[in-house]
């Protein structure tokens, strides 16, 4: 499983990362798949957990941690770079938390997060991996996902294919208390030069501020930010 660098402890740690990326594992499952002794597997997994290279899900199984996403997000990324130029203005306009998400498999990863300087905020750290089952950004990314991914996502989603059809028609999505109690959000798609949806811009904040129909208040601004990122991707020379 993987390459042999000649550095045993490194190879074993990387093997654990590959295994938990394929499927969540408890200690017994990790030992079964890797063939590592129980004490070794536990020591390495806990060490990786300290550095947030792995973390634990609700049932206590190891899964990829937020550090992996943060490291990937800091690599040169045209979408992220374009978003960093456009999203601060959206945050200033709305006063709410702003994020850029990209779909990776059946998860969405926060590539950029811009938070208000004070007050209540919906903090999603860069590199965070969230499920595709709920939230306006998840719905935007699902609306333009490939059929196989969409079928998998809809098995656990709080939304339906009919909802996604409406999102494709109007060009934005909203959610109220789907991902987290008391949080509302609005999202719109970012497209590359070929027109494919490659990310979703999102604003999120308390329902008390955003309202029960946040799209009526902020959809136009979110779409404008997403279009600004799209324009930079389509014409990189202007960025």
């Amino acid at each position: 499983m993987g390459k042999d660098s000649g550095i045993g402890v490194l190879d074993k740690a990387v093997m654990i990362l590959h295994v938990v990326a394929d499927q969540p594992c408890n200690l017994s499952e990790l030992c079964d798949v890797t063939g590592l002794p129980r004490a070794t597997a536990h020591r390495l997994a806990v060490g990786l957990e300290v550095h947030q290279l792995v973390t634990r899900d609700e049932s206590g199984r190891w899964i990829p941690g937020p550090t992996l996403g943060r490291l990937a997000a800091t690599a040169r990324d045209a979408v992220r770079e374009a978003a960093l130029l456009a999203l601060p203005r959206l945050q200033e306009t709305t006063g709410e938390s702003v994020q850029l998400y990209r779909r990776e498999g059946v998860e969405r990863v926060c590539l950029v997060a811009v938070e208000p300087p004070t007050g209540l905020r919906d903090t999603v750290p860069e590199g965070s991996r969230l499920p595709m089952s709920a939230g306006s950004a998840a719905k935007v990314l699902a609306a333009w996902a490939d059929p196989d991914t969409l079928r998998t996502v809809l098995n656990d989603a709080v939304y339906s294919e009919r909802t996604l059809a409406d999102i494709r028609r109007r060009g934005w999505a909203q959610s109220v208390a789907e991902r987290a109690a008391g949080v509302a959000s609005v999202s719109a798609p970012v497209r590359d030069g070929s027109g494919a949806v490659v990310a979703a811009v999102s604003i999120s904040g308390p329902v008390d501020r955003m309202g029960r129909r946040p799209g009526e208040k902020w959809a136009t601004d979110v779409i404008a930010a997403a279009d600004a990122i799209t324009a930079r991707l389509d014409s990189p020379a202007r960025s």
Side-chain angles (χ1 to χ4, degrees):
M1 182 179 296
K3 298 180 179 180
D4 183 357
S5 70
I7 305 172
V9 67
L10 175 61
D11 292 339
K12 291 170 184 175
V14 171
M15 179 167 57
I16 289 174
L17 291 175
H18 280 288
V19 169
V20 300
D22 288 337
Q23 61 182 43
C25 289
N26 59 29
L27 182 56
S28 295
E29 293 165 337
L30 195 58
C31 293
D32 288 343
V33 177
T34 63
L36 293 172
R38 190 176 183 88
T40 300
H42 182 265
R43 175 170 56 85
L44 291 174
V46 170
L48 292 168
E49 192 173 0
V50 169
H51 293 285
Q52 295 188 308
L53 291 164
V54 301
T55 188
R56 300 191 194 229
D57 64 13
E58 297 83 356
S59 63
R61 295 177 300 177
W62 281 295
I63 58 175
T67 294
L68 293 174
R70 284 195 292 269
L71 291 172
T74 55
R76 193 178 192 284
D77 184 318
V79 178
R80 184 174 186 274
E81 289 179 1
L84 287 170
L85 296 172
L87 295 189
R89 172 180 280 187
L90 179 63
Q91 193 287 310
E92 292 173 3
T93 299
T94 63
E96 303 295 351
S97 301
V98 175
Q99 302 91 28
L100 180 80
Y101 292 99
R102 178 159 56 203
R103 182 179 66 81
E104 293 186 6
V106 293
E107 294 180 311
R108 53 186 169 116
V109 179
C110 180
L111 298 184
V112 178
V114 184
E115 297 290 345
T118 60
L120 290 174
R121 58 188 78 175
D122 177 37
T123 302
V124 180
E126 291 184 7
S128 297
R129 289 179 173 269
L130 300 176
M132 291 279 290
S133 55
S136 64
K139 288 188 279 194
V140 164
L141 295 172
W144 282 276
D146 61 273
D148 289 341
T149 297
L150 182 56
R151 279 192 294 271
T152 301
V153 167
L154 286 175
N155 286 334
D156 299 316
V158 301
Y159 49 85
S160 66
E161 172 57 43
R162 181 174 179 178
T163 300
L164 300 183
D166 288 340
I167 291 167
R168 287 189 287 268
R169 175 181 52 80
R170 70 175 180 239
W172 56 270
Q174 64 181 354
S175 70
V176 177
E178 286 185 3
R179 178 177 62 82
V183 174
S185 68
V186 183
S187 298
V190 173
R191 300 176 185 273
D192 64 13
S194 70
V197 172
V198 294
V201 170
S202 182
I203 65 167
S204 57
V207 175
D208 290 346
R209 254 192 343 241
M210 297 273 289
R212 305 297 299 184
R213 296 181 178 177
E216 293 181 357
K217 186 176 183 180
W218 294 123
T220 299
D221 294 278
V222 176
I223 290 171
D227 288 348
I229 298 171
T230 295
R232 290 185 177 276
L233 295 176
D234 193 31
S235 301
R238 292 185 299 181
S239 63

